[in-house]
């Protein structure tokens, strides 16, 4: 049976029932097979197999042959119509019909004319099952008429003018091919300036003197009759303006003279097509040709675009120097406006061509032959498209269906004929005609009603020999009506196929994708329908593949020596292998120096021309393999040192002694490359569970070539071997054949078993599941068991799928449970698992800590104590205790403000902890809560406490305003953190002289309610340094510093200006130069000493400006001690420079919980103390100047530079 359908495949896994191939009836594609035995007694309606083309142009010098061939059973008879009426060939002695054919032969070579037989012919092939008809074949003889006689006047034209030489060939059948040549039959050269149009005319964008000639000849070639017709030659002369006027003067009046301007450059204009727009219509599938030819000087260039679209790149062709645009296989989507643009240096013009693509009818779905059995249903579908939409009409046996005999089994629905409950009398040939104004389509399709029992057309007992690991195809060609179903069995007793995958083709073929040894045997194909059964047996033999286990290797030998190429072949013992040697893909030289033995080729007395590629080819009747090696011949040289490398990979892996838990692996070692193999490493791949991943299996000594390997159950093993020597490890060998072990019960249980509750009333049991390798068999599950630890309940168990979690609901809150998880599969259970303990879900604690007590240690630290809560009230794992505390009121301002609560967590069961970072002179409130894994319990009653006063922070700002000759006014802002009640301010100041030395320090007390103070009786034009801080009852706070200068005495400045200007005296200038030189030397020396880490006078002067408050005091008399340079190399602290408004801002400094807390909440030791020693408020380092900010003077800046 032949099926005209795509080769769809159905993959079925064989079970323990017969494998059945159900071939669905494809009524639109079924044909009766052309099997000779089947056709002897199987009737079939006629089918047209060959016919002449619809438009048939004949050569009038030869006989006319109109073809019409058909097949059918019984063989059909033929008849013809001509121009719609019966054509009686017996009455025309010139017309004969070929035997057993409908082809007409009209003998016009002896007598008669071809024109006599012009017309429309149609062939009908008929037998008892119906009639098929051919297309309407239009017969027309080809014509090649001569050119009409005409007188062609010579053409004289001015240089640069455009010109069109008309061709106007005679109308022939088919149309002639046009080309221009000269008298010597040489084609005229064409270019962007001169080209031939689609209509055959020759176009000149502008003429040049070299265009002058007398033999412009247009030729028309008629291929059908092998003739060429020639037009009269055209003469062209190109002259200058003066020559042209002389010619006109001799023949015409004065009014027809040409001006000199006619040869000037000009913008383009179109020679064809005319106007700004035109229209073009083309049929679908044809070549769309659009043409634009322009004249102009200089010669224009042509460009093409498609409006609102792009040109199809793979179907667009430019011809005739881009003057012609062609689109191959044009379709409706190519309709639209195309624009050609002609451009030269003087301008551009464009022409729009509107393209409409029409379409003669074309098939969407042509009707297909139907083979039906009595009582079946079917459809004939005739679907076509075109532009305009084609009209569909039906005929039966060549007669319009409207006037054909009625058939109750058919019903017409537009482009579909529906058949139901057909009988043998329903057999007929149906014709579908789809036509529009541009053409028609005609298709024959028969309905053949047959009642035939199944027949298997494949020869019986066919033997299929196939190489292992290659596909095998077992044929079962069949036919029957109704369409039979196909069943395949294996074995003489009809045993079912199982544990393999087969591919079933709709033509009955059984495919074994990868043939193995166990596929050897007898296969039976059974075809059944309601009229009977047919069967056929075929046999399969699976052979071992042919392999070259020792291949020839690349060889470099010296001239005159002997070389040997190995080629050891392993093949199936039932096949005969032949080994052939080739040199450079040809036969070996016929030379006695070449000796071919069983397993090798020997070449003696090697010559230079023996070099090349030698190939060993091993052939059997089923397969062949080859291996090649290159021979290089060199001149004799000293023996080179051996090359050491890692071994070559082992090969020829083989599995033997295959048991359930072990297998023996053997292999052949590769070349050791001059370093003995020390060991072999064996790896395995589990194709079932972890395909592509290789795992270590075993290692054996380098002298062994076999290994007994222990195996795990339910694993599809493949093995590979690597060799190792002192250089390194080889590449892996090719993988061995696969070996699958049987399933067994699991030998281990899941690990990481835990029991934790996610809700107060559940227990979530989790575990790490076994992987596929550990499952030991299919159907891996887990038996989950649990019971309360302190109760007498029995174990509760449930078996779950291969998951990693099970939730037990309805448990009491935070109760200990005993848990175990056991693995099982379809074979059995794993060993008894270990018991672990878990707890059901936690709930929030019920009781708050009691007896909360607070002990204030100092102004920034407090200690809190509490009593623990009962363990039963915790209802979960105790995480610790959490203190919430917040500042509720400022004692100094006596107003309340909201402050975000702070939290400290103390781990474990501790009952006390420290609260750091408190603000002095503040009122706090706190409470304590117990914490478990679920969250916090209720809060204890709020407990309030207060912190004592502390020292204040530095004043927020200090600025000096209104400087005069003898006074300065200081303004300041109070400290941002007074940390108590301010009692007074302390102001200290001292002058700085011109040598940057500090004068005596003056101390001044200022009431706490002041923010402004004026100092009087100061020296004029003097710099002062100020130190300012606030005090509480606890003591002084941090200080802020500033410098300022009193104004200059203008009277003394005027007197100094009247003195002699010594800067203009020569002695003074020399003195200053000497001083400058000494200073430069001093700077160089100081720079060298500074790099060596020493001290120098400039540094000592810099030290002189240090804040007196930060200089260490002698314990006995309070005088200033020696200044230490331990901080010489500290960088200037960020923010130490004074702003331009002489105001110093002090940033707030709060204690940070980061120093004490755990993450956000703080971290404590087990006794509740902080990690790291706590020592109260730390005194500032003297060298830090109590975080003062000092504005640098110009002298200080110079000192810093030095």
């Amino acid at each position: 049976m032949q099926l005209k359908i795509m080769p769809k495949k159905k993959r079925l896994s064989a079970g323990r029932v017969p494998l059945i191939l159900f071939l669905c009836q494809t009524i639109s594609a079924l044909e009766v097979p052309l099997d000779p035995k089947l056709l002897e007694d199987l009737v079939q309606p006629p089918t047209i197999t060959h016919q002449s083309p619809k438009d048939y142009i004949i050569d009038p010098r030869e006989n006319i042959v109109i073809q019409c061939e058909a097949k059918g059973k019984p063989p059909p008879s033929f008849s013809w119509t001509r121009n719609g009426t019966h054509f009686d060939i017996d009455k025309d002695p010139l017309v004969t019909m070929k035997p057993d054919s409908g082809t007409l032969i009209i003998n016009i070579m002896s007598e008669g004319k071809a024109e006599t037989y012009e017309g429309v012919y149609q062939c009908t092939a008929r037998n008892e099952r119906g009639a098929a008809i051919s297309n309407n074949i239009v017969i027309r003889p080809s014509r090649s008429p001569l050119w009409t006689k005409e007188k062609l006047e010579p053409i004289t034209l001015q240089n640069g003018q455009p010109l069109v030489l008309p061709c106007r060939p005679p109308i022939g059948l088919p149309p002639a091919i046009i080309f221009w040549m000269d008298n010597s039959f040489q084609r005229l050269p064409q270019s962007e300036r001169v080209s031939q149009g689609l209509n055959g005319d020759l176009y000149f964008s502008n003429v040049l003197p070299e265009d002058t000639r007398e033999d412009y000849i247009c030729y028309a070639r008629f291929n059908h009759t092998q003739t060429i017709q020639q037009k009269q030659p055209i003469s062209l002369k190109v002259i200058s303006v003066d020559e042209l006027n002389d010619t006109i003067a001799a023949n015409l009046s004065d009014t027809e003279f040409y001006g000199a301007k006619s040869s000037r450059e000009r913008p383009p204009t179109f020679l064809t097509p005319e106007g700004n727009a035109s229209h073009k219509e083309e049929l679908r599938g044809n070549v769309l040709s659009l043409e634009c030819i322009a004249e102009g000087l200089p010669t224009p260039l042509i460009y093409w675009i498609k409006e609102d679209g792009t040109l199809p790149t793979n179907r667009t062709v430019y011809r005739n120097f881009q003057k012609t645009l062609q689109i191959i296989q044009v379709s409706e989507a190519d309709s639209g406006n195309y624009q050609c643009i002609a451009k030269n240096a003087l301008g551009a013009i464009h022409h729009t061509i509107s393209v409409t693509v029409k379409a003669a009818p074309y098939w969407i779905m042509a009707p297909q032959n139907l083979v039906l059995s009595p009582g079946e249903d079917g459809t004939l579908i005739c679907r076509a498209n075109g532009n305009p939409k084609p009209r569909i009409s039906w005929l039966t046996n060549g007669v319009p269906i409207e006037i054909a005999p009625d058939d109750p089994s058919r019903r017409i629905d537009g482009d579909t004929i529906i058949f139901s409950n057909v009988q043998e009398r329903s057999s007929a040939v149906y014709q579908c005609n789809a036509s529009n104004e541009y053409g028609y389509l005609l298709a024959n399709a028969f309905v053949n009603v047959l009642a035939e029992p199944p027949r298997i057309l494949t020869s019986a007992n066919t033997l299929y020999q196939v190489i292992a690991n290659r596909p095998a195809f077992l044929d079962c060609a069949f036919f029957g009506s109704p369409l039979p179903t196909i069943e395949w069995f294996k074995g003489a007793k009809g045993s079912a196929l199982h544990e393999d995958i087969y591919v079933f083709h709709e033509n009955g073929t059984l495919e074994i994708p990868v043939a193995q040894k166990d596929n050897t045997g007898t296969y039976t194909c059974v075809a059944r329908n309601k009229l009977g059964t047919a069967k056929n047996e075929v046999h399969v033999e699976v052979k071992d593949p042919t392999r070259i286990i020792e291949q020839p290797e690349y060889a470099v030998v010296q001239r005159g020596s002997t070389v040997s190429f190995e080629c050891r072949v392993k093949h199936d013992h039932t096949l005969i292998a032949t080994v052939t040697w080739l040199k450079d893909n040809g036969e070996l030289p016929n030379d006695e120096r070449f000796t071919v033995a069983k397993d090798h080729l020997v070449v003696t007395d090697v010559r230079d021309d023996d070099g090349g590629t030698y190939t060993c080819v091993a052939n059997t009747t089923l397969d062949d393999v080859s291996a090649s090696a290159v021979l290089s011949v060199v001149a004799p040289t000293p023996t080179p040192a051996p090359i050491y490398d890692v071994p070559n990979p082992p090969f020829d892996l083989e599995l033997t002694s295959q048991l359930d838990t072990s297998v023996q692996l053997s292999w052949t070692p590769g070349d050791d490359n001059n370093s003995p193999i020390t060991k072999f490493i064996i790896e395995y791949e589990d194709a079932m569970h972890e395909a592509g991943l290789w795992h270590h299996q075993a290692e054996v000594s380098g002298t062994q070539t076999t290994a007994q390997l222990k195996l795990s159950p339910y694993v599809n093993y493949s093995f590979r071997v690597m060799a190792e020597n002192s250089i390194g490890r080889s590449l892996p060998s090719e993988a061995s054949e696969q070996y699958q072990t049987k399933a067994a019960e699991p030998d281990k249980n899941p690990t990481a078993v835990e029991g934790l509750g996610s809700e107060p009333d559940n227990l979530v049991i989790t575990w790490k599941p076994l992987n596929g390798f550990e499952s030991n068999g299919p159907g891996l599950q887990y038996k989950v068991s649990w019971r309360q630890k302190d109760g007498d309940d029995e174990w509760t168990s449930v078996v779950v799928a291969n998951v990693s979690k099970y939730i037990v609901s309805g448990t009491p809150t935070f109760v200990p449970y005993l848990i175990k998880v056991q693995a099982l599969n379809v074979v059995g259970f794993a060993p008894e698992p270990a018991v672990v303990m878990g707890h059901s879900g936690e709930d929030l604690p019920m009781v708050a800590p009691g007896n909360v007590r607070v002990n204030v240690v100092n102004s920034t630290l407090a200690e809190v104590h509490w009593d623990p809560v009962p363990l039963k009230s915790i209802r979960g794992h105790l995480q610790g205790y959490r203190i919430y505390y917040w500042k509720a009121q400022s004692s100094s301002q006596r107003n309340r403000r909201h402050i975000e609560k702070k939290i400290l967590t103390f781990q474990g069961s501790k009952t006390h902890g420290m609260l750091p970072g408190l603000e002095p002179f503040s009122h706090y409130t706190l409470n304590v809560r117990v914490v478990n894994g679920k969250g916090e319990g209720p809060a204890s009653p709020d407990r309030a406490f207060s912190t004592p006063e502390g020292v204040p922070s530095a004043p927020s700002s200090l600025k000096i305003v209104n400087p005069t000759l003898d006074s300065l006014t200081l303004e300041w802002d109070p400290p941002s953190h007074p940390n108590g009640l301010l009692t007074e301010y302390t102001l200290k100041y001292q002058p700085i002289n011109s040598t940057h030395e500090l004068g005596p320090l003056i101390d001044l007390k200022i009431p706490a309610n002041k923010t402004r103070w004026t100092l009087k009786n100061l020296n004029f034009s003097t710099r002062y340094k100020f130190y300012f801080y606030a005090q509480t009852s606890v003591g002084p706070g941090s200080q802020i510093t500033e410098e300022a200068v009193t104004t200059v005495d203008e009277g003394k400045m005027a007197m100094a200006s009247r003195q002699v200007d010594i800067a203009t005296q020569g002695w003074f200038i020399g003195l200053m130069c000497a001083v400058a030189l000494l200073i430069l030397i001093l700077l160089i020396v100081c720079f060298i000493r500074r790099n060596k880490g020493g001290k120098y006078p400039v540094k000592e002067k810099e030290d002189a400006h240090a804040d007196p408050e930060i200089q260490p005091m002698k314990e006995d008399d309070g005088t200033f001690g020696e200044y230490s340079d331990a901080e010489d190399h500290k960088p200037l602290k960020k923010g130490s420079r004074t702003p331009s408004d002489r105001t110093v801002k002090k940033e707030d400094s709060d204690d940070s919980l980061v120093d004490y807390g755990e993450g956000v909440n703080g971290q404590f030791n087990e006794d509740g103390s902080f990690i790291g020693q706590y020592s109260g408020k730390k005194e500032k380092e003297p060298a830090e100047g109590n975080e003062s900010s000092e504005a640098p003077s110009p002298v200080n800046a110079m000192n810093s530079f030095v």
Side-chain angles (χ1 to χ4, degrees), residues 338-366:
Y338 293 77
Q339 192 175 98
C340 63
I341 302 169
K343 181 186 296 186
N344 68 6
L346 277 69
I349 58 172
H350 70 272
H351 181 94
T352 301
I353 306 175
S354 176
V355 174
T356 302
V357 178
K358 299 291 185 178
Y362 56 92
W363 289 119
I364 301 298
M365 182 183 295

Side-chain angles (χ1 to χ4, degrees), residues 627-638:
S628 299
V630 175
L631 172 64
S632 297
V633 181
V634 298
T637 57

Side-chain angles (χ1 to χ4, degrees), residues 342-587:
K343 181 186 296 186
N344 68 6
L346 277 69
I349 58 172
H350 70 272
H351 181 94
T352 301
I353 306 175
S354 176
V355 174
T356 302
V357 178
K358 299 291 185 178
Y362 56 92
W363 289 119
I364 301 298
M365 182 183 295
Q368 302 292 319
N369 295 334
L370 284 179
V371 177
L372 303 175
S373 61
E376 285 188 333
D377 302 334
T379 57
L380 284 180
I381 300 175
C382 177
R383 201 156 291 158
N385 201 359
N387 185 13
K389 184 76 175 178
R391 183 177 64 86
I392 303 294
S393 60
W394 287 96
L395 300 87
T396 177
N397 296 327
V399 178
I401 202 165
E402 295 82 6
I403 61 175
D406 188 38
D407 184 351
S409 67
R410 73 171 178 244
R411 177 171 59 88
I412 300 176
D413 184 8
D415 59 6
T416 304
I417 300 180
I418 303 171
F419 298 92
S420 57
N421 192 25
V422 297
Q423 303 301 321
E424 284 199 42
R425 64 177 180 274
S426 301
S427 296
V429 182
Y430 290 84
Q431 291 82 33
C432 170
N433 184 297
S435 61
N436 66 11
E437 61 187 273
Y438 298 105
Y440 74 94
L441 294 172
L442 178 68
N444 291 275
F446 64 68
V447 176
N448 195 14
V449 182
L450 298 173
E452 294 290 332
R455 307 183 192 191
I456 295 180
L457 308 179
T458 300
S459 300
N461 295 313
T462 301
L463 175 61
Y464 294 93
Q465 293 183 328
V466 62
I467 296 297
N469 298 320
R470 295 185 183 179
F473 296 89
L474 313 185
D475 293 333
C476 184
F478 65 92
F479 177 75
S481 182
L483 191 68
T485 60
I486 300 299
E487 299 174 318
W488 279 96
F489 298 87
K490 182 183 178 185
K493 298 181 180 180
S495 60
L497 301 173
H498 58 87
E499 295 184 357
D500 211 335
I501 296 177
Y502 297 86
V503 178
F504 299 94
H505 296 267
E506 292 184 347
N507 62 357
T509 298
L510 171 67
E511 178 184 350
I512 305 173
V514 182
Q516 301 295 333
K517 285 285 190 177
D518 57 1
N519 294 126
T520 299
T522 300
Y523 292 78
T524 303
C525 167
V526 179
R528 290 189 179 93
N529 69 9
K530 64 184 180 181
L531 299 178
T533 301
K535 64 174 60 178
N536 186 42
E537 288 186 352
V538 296
H539 309 283
V540 176
E541 292 181 358
V542 180
K543 307 293 185 179
D544 290 328
T546 304
R547 293 179 296 156
I548 299 177
I549 58 177
E550 285 191 15
Q551 300 184 1
E553 296 182 352
Y554 171 76
V556 178
V557 299
Q558 297 176 7
R559 190 183 308 115
S561 61
T562 299
V563 65
S564 176
F565 291 107
E566 300 295 324
C567 182
R568 191 157 66 91
V569 177
K570 185 176 182 180
H571 61 90
D572 192 282
H573 69 278
T574 63
L575 300 177
I576 298 176
T578 59
V579 176
T580 305
W581 286 92
L582 304 175
K583 180 180 184 295
D584 297 330
N585 294 323
E587 294 183 358

Side-chain angles (χ1 to χ4, degrees), residues 997-1129:
E997 295 178 349
L998 297 173
L1001 186 68
I1002 302 172
D1003 195 330
L1004 178 66
K1005 302 296 184 182
I1006 301 175
N1009 60 348
K1010 298 292 184 179
T1011 60
R1012 180 184 178 94
W1013 194 264
T1014 301
L1015 295 176
K1016 299 181 179 179
N1017 300 322
L1018 302 177
N1019 296 330
F1020 69 90
S1021 187
T1022 302
R1023 176 175 293 278
Y1024 286 88
K1025 187 165 187 177
F1026 300 93
Y1027 314 93
F1028 189 66
Y1029 55 87
Q1031 288 185 236
T1032 63
S1033 60
V1034 178
S1038 301
Q1039 72 176 8
I1040 187 171
T1041 65
E1042 182 59 281
E1043 290 186 10
V1045 181
T1046 55
T1047 58
V1048 179
D1049 188 340
E1050 296 180 359
K1052 290 189 176 183
M1053 290 294 294
M1055 183 181 297
S1057 65
R1058 289 194 296 267
Q1059 294 176 357
V1060 177
D1061 188 4
I1062 62 174
T1064 61
Q1065 304 300 311
W1067 63 269
F1068 180 79
I1069 294 174
L1071 178 62
M1072 289 299 100
C1073 291
V1075 171
L1077 179 60
L1078 290 174
I1079 291 175
L1080 178 60
I1081 295 173
L1082 178 62
L1083 288 176
I1084 294 173
V1085 173
C1086 292
F1087 181 79
I1088 296 174
R1089 292 190 61 195
R1090 184 180 181 90
N1091 287 342
K1092 294 182 178 180
K1095 289 188 177 180
Y1096 42 88
V1098 177
K1099 174 61 183 173
E1100 294 171 0
K1101 287 204 171 188
E1102 183 181 5
D1103 292 343
H1105 289 279
D1107 188 343
E1109 288 295 299
I1110 65 173
Q1111 297 183 11
M1113 305 294 292
K1114 292 184 179 180
E1115 294 182 357
D1116 51 352
D1117 58 3
T1119 60
F1120 293 102
E1122 182 181 356
Y1123 182 83
S1124 170
D1125 67 350
E1127 302 296 328
D1128 278 350
H1129 300 291

Side-chain angles (χ1 to χ4, degrees), residues 648-668:
N648 292 345
F651 56 93
D652 198 18
L653 274 64
E654 188 173 1
L655 297 177
T656 56
S657 303
Q658 298 175 352
L659 302 176
D660 290 344
T661 59
S662 67
V663 69
Q664 180 171 292
L665 175 66
S666 60
W667 60 90
T668 301

Side-chain angles (χ1 to χ4, degrees), residues 150 196 224 236 255 312 417 516 645 650 713 838 989 1091:
E150 59 180 330
Q196 177 184 316
H224 217 79
L236 171 64
T255 59
I417 300 180
Q516 301 295 333
D645 200 353
Y989 62 96
N1091 287 342

